Amino acid sequence: MEEVVGPQGTPGRVRFPGISPRAYEHPVDRGALATLRMVPGFAEVLKALTGFFHERGERLMALGSAIRVGPTQYPELDRLRHECAEALDLDSVPAVFVARDADATAMTIGMDEPFVVLSTGMVDLLDTDGLRFVVGHEMGHVLSGHAVYRTMLLRLLKLQVTMSWMPVSALGLRAIIAALHEWYRKAELSCDRAGLLCGQDPAAALRTHILLAGGVDPAQVDIASFLQQASEYESAEDIRDSLLKLRNVELMSHPLAVVRAAELQKWAASADYRAVLAGEYPRRDGDEPQANWAADVKSAAKSYRDSFAASADPLTKVFSEVGEAVSGAAGKVWSKFSPPKDNANG
């Protein structure tokens, strides 16, 4: 951990040299990624097959239609992208583009050289602290490799159907797609945590979530009432409400804004967050996928069980069972790709 001195010698935000994405990844996201990181050569194959044409085309489109952030173009954003990349100790600083779009959006594109695209709607909506949180969120996607592994999962799904590894009915395929979207939502929660590590200001992160949820002026929104909405949403006991919630989120790639805000505030108040700020976090140079895999998958299953135990919502039980099933399926997928123990050194 390194502390950055602020203006006129005031204490600044801390940096996290060599931080592993496992330090901030949501248990479910970490469990899925742990399994995928174990598959030999998949990331490299995907980059070779799809990265060149798709990523090059996306980058050319950004160059030709958006504004590339730099010292003379959106200099404040340029400072923030460097700050966030340095906070998470990225090997290189991803490019950032600003594209015309009234909707407040941000995305990370590319596998070999990921870059970030912010909409003008997002830039206009947020102040400097809010933009630092959003840019840090996107840097979290880069460090976790979500673009690579999200593509990998989609390709794996297609292979599963094409090669008939197992019979997949229409309902079975729908369940798999729902599970993938559940992972995407948890990946977003992971990167909210990365954004918080870059800004180290839970209040700024909360203001950002309030604005994204529909707040015009955060000062006009009562924080306690706002977070109470999430509590009420999670505690619905009527099965009809649960079915409606399941239908609403089934194909969503992002968590609901109010629920998402509450999830991040819980982590901001946790011992895990305080430990990372104190420099107690896993390092990338100590990551051993084979050593961490079993623990990460178990942690994902435990996360679902804990959510079920703490919630009165029958919907949570559905995702608990789906989550544990995905964890079990992950082990089966790995067993298909892992070399036999007898030939592991061959």
Side-chain angles (χ1 to χ4, degrees), residues 23-46:
Y24 60 79
E25 286 166 350
H26 186 282
V28 175
D29 178 28
R30 189 166 64 238
L33 290 173
T35 298
L36 293 168
R37 287 166 181 155
M38 290 280 286
V39 179
F42 250 48
E44 289 73 16
V45 169
L46 278 174

Side-chain angles (χ1 to χ4, degrees), residues 161 166-176:
V161 176
M166 60 184 73
V168 180
S169 65
L171 288 176
L173 184 58
R174 179 176 178 178
I176 292 172

Side-chain angles (χ1 to χ4, degrees), residues 118-138:
L118 303 176
S119 70
T120 50
M122 182 70 82
V123 174
D124 290 340
L125 181 67
L126 302 178
D127 60 14
T128 298
D129 290 333
L131 287 170
R132 181 182 289 106
F133 170 69
V134 168
V135 172
H137 173 108
E138 297 306 319

Side-chain angles (χ1 to χ4, degrees), residues 155-222:
R155 296 294 185 271
L156 185 61
L157 176 59
K158 290 181 180 179
L159 283 174
Q160 214 171 26
V161 176
T162 303
M163 300 174 64
S164 300
W165 289 355
M166 60 184 73
V168 180
S169 65
L171 288 176
L173 184 58
R174 179 176 178 178
I176 292 172
I177 293 173
L180 289 176
H181 279 94
E182 167 67 355
W183 168 56
Y184 298 163
R185 291 191 293 273
K186 293 301 187 289
E188 290 299 314
L189 295 181
S190 293
C191 293
D192 278 351
R193 296 176 178 184
L196 181 57
L197 289 177
C198 289
Q200 296 158 39
D201 186 347
L206 182 56
R207 287 196 303 272
T208 300
H209 283 141
I210 288 173
L211 288 167
L212 292 175
V216 176
D217 177 5
Q220 300 299 313
V221 177
D222 180 68

Side-chain angles (χ1 to χ4, degrees), residues 106-309:
M107 69 183 80
T108 299
I109 302 173
M111 295 186 292
D112 191 35
E113 294 182 39
F115 60 97
V116 176
V117 178
L118 303 176
S119 70
T120 50
M122 182 70 82
V123 174
D124 290 340
L125 181 67
L126 302 178
D127 60 14
T128 298
D129 290 333
L131 287 170
R132 181 182 289 106
F133 170 69
V134 168
V135 172
H137 173 108
E138 297 306 319
M139 297 298 175
H141 280 307
V142 173
L143 184 57
S144 286
H146 283 143
V148 173
Y149 294 111
R150 177 175 175 173
T151 302
M152 185 184 298
L153 271 181
L154 294 173
R155 296 294 185 271
L156 185 61
L157 176 59
K158 290 181 180 179
L159 283 174
Q160 214 171 26
V161 176
T162 303
M163 300 174 64
S164 300
W165 289 355
M166 60 184 73
V168 180
S169 65
L171 288 176
L173 184 58
R174 179 176 178 178
I176 292 172
I177 293 173
L180 289 176
H181 279 94
E182 167 67 355
W183 168 56
Y184 298 163
R185 291 191 293 273
K186 293 301 187 289
E188 290 299 314
L189 295 181
S190 293
C191 293
D192 278 351
R193 296 176 178 184
L196 181 57
L197 289 177
C198 289
Q200 296 158 39
D201 186 347
L206 182 56
R207 287 196 303 272
T208 300
H209 283 141
I210 288 173
L211 288 167
L212 292 175
V216 176
D217 177 5
Q220 300 299 313
V221 177
D222 180 68
I223 300 301
S225 298
F226 178 74
L227 295 176
Q228 178 61 27
Q229 291 180 224
S231 178
E232 292 178 17
Y233 178 87
E234 295 289 1
S235 63
E237 298 183 15
D238 191 317
I239 188 63
R240 291 171 298 180
D241 289 341
S242 291
L243 291 174
L244 288 172
K245 286 158 64 177
L246 177 60
R247 181 179 179 182
N248 287 341
V249 304
E250 181 182 4
L251 298 180
M252 290 182 64
S253 62
H254 286 62
L256 296 171
V258 178
V259 177
R260 178 179 184 178
E263 284 289 331
L264 183 60
Q265 292 304 307
K266 288 178 187 176
W267 192 70
S270 71
D272 289 342
Y273 174 61
R274 292 193 295 272
V276 175
L277 289 181
E280 301 171 11
Y281 54 82
R283 265 69 173 176
R284 295 197 291 274
D285 58 10
D287 277 348
E288 298 180 10
Q290 294 190 6
N292 297 327
W293 174 75
D296 287 342
V297 172
K298 288 179 181 178
S299 178
K302 181 178 183 299
S303 174
Y304 279 111
R305 289 196 300 270
D306 290 347
S307 295
F308 174 52

Side-chain angles (χ1 to χ4, degrees), residues 1 4 13 18 55 59 63 89 173-174 177 199 219 235 290 339:
M1 179 191 70
V4 180
R13 288 170 292 276
E55 182 173 333
R59 186 176 293 274
L63 280 171
D89 198 18
L173 184 58
R174 179 176 178 178
I177 293 173
S235 63
Q290 294 190 6

